[in-house]
Amino acid sequence: EAGGVALGRAADKLFSLSGVFAVRKPKGPTSAAVLNLLKERLLAEAGVQTNGNKRNQVLKIGHGGTLDSAATGVLVVGIGKGTKMLGTMLAGSKKYTAIGMLGKATDTLDATGKVTEEKPYDQVTKRDLENVLQKFTGDIMQVPPLYSALKKDGERLSTLMKRGETVEAKPARPVKVYSLSLQQFQPPLFTLDVECGGGFYVRSLVNDIGKELCTCATVQELTRTKQGPFTLEEHALQEDKWTIDEIARSLEHCTALLPGEPSRKKLKTEHPGGTAVICE
């Protein structure tokens, strides 16, 4: 009997969670798969049955910007009412550390793809690379990768590509690069730190840098180190911390970092009955 009461409490706590926090996305799964795993863990911990029609309570959860499956790092997650705050996260600034490889191009612009081109790169010096980076700083135009979550006629470009359909590249669009610096150069590998605005693709950047240097280049590793106010070191929950209590603690810490958070008073008047259970 006591176990049932404890589970009931855990479920109440889970469905009252609201706000924005960050998790550390591992390499391999898609961002959507990471959210599903997180959801499964939380519902299992709360003892909420998800099979059949017992899902009378739907856990509202969303993320604030896709990371490629091969990428790791900060994935911002909204839960409950926090899902409405994710739009601002998409537009905000992000920081990445990327390891690029000179001399190879792939169809996906990263290490998961098929090699489409190989070119010599021994002529490229550290100074060449540093000089080229200046061209990609500030307000620039960028063509997004074909393998991306962008859509054409309601379908993801990556889905169309995998089906073998010919996909036209999307037109170049304006993006913002706040800072771009070379951290390491050990040919063929180079490491970049990038801070950029919304809609920016690091894979396109590395591909464009390769072309600019009269060779080619592809992303070997990509880590998002910061999104909005959330950093990898300080805020992103490791997989072993994907629990109701850890997330509740993290929400208190993280939601306070966001600008223009509506005052608690306003939220209280909306729900005179105390904690709101969000059902869909």
Side-chain angles (χ1 to χ4, degrees), residues 226-263:
K226 188 169 191 262
Q227 182 170 5
F230 308 125
T231 66
L232 191 52
E233 277 73 43
E234 218 182 330
H235 309 106
L237 295 177
Q238 298 270 24
E239 219 173 308
D240 58 350
K241 297 238 166 96
W242 294 359
T243 65
I244 296 169
D245 285 347
E246 286 288 354
I247 287 170
R249 205 170 299 146
S250 190
L251 282 170
E252 281 187 21
H253 182 42
C254 288
T255 310
L257 299 171
L258 291 174
E261 172 57 4
S263 69

Side-chain angles (χ1 to χ4, degrees), residues 16-114:
S16 70
L17 293 178
S18 186
V20 179
F21 63 103
V23 298
R24 177 187 280 261
K25 180 195 168 299
K27 192 174 182 154
T30 62
S31 295
V34 169
L35 274 199
N36 286 334
L37 180 62
L38 178 66
K39 213 179 213 182
E40 268 168 39
R41 290 262 185 98
L42 295 173
L43 290 168
E45 186 192 341
V48 178
Q49 295 285 336
T50 55
N51 53 346
N53 294 326
K54 296 190 185 165
R55 295 186 72 170
N56 53 348
Q57 292 180 316
V58 174
L59 186 60
K60 279 178 98 171
I61 200 163
H63 68 72
T66 307
L67 270 178
D68 296 333
S69 19
T72 65
V74 177
L75 186 67
V76 174
V77 178
I79 192 164
K81 277 214 152 34
T83 51
K84 294 193 172 72
M85 296 152 81
L86 292 171
T88 56
M89 297 307 315
L90 285 162
S93 91
K94 303 160 185 72
K95 279 186 182 172
Y96 296 90
T97 297
I99 300 176
M101 180 188 255
L102 293 168
K104 269 196 178 120
T106 67
D107 55 358
T108 58
L109 312 188
D110 68 12
T112 64
K114 289 195 289 284

Side-chain angles (χ1 to χ4, degrees), residues 1-18:
E1 184 59 26
V5 171
L7 278 177
R9 257 193 227 117
D12 285 346
K13 185 166 185 179
L14 173 58
F15 286 102
S16 70
L17 293 178
S18 186

Side-chain angles (χ1 to χ4, degrees), residues 175-190:
V175 288
K176 240 188 196 355
V177 180
Y178 299 104
S179 66
L180 178 56
S181 58
L182 181 65
Q183 297 302 313
Q184 243 184 333
F185 183 53
Q186 290 170 300
L189 299 178
F190 59 98

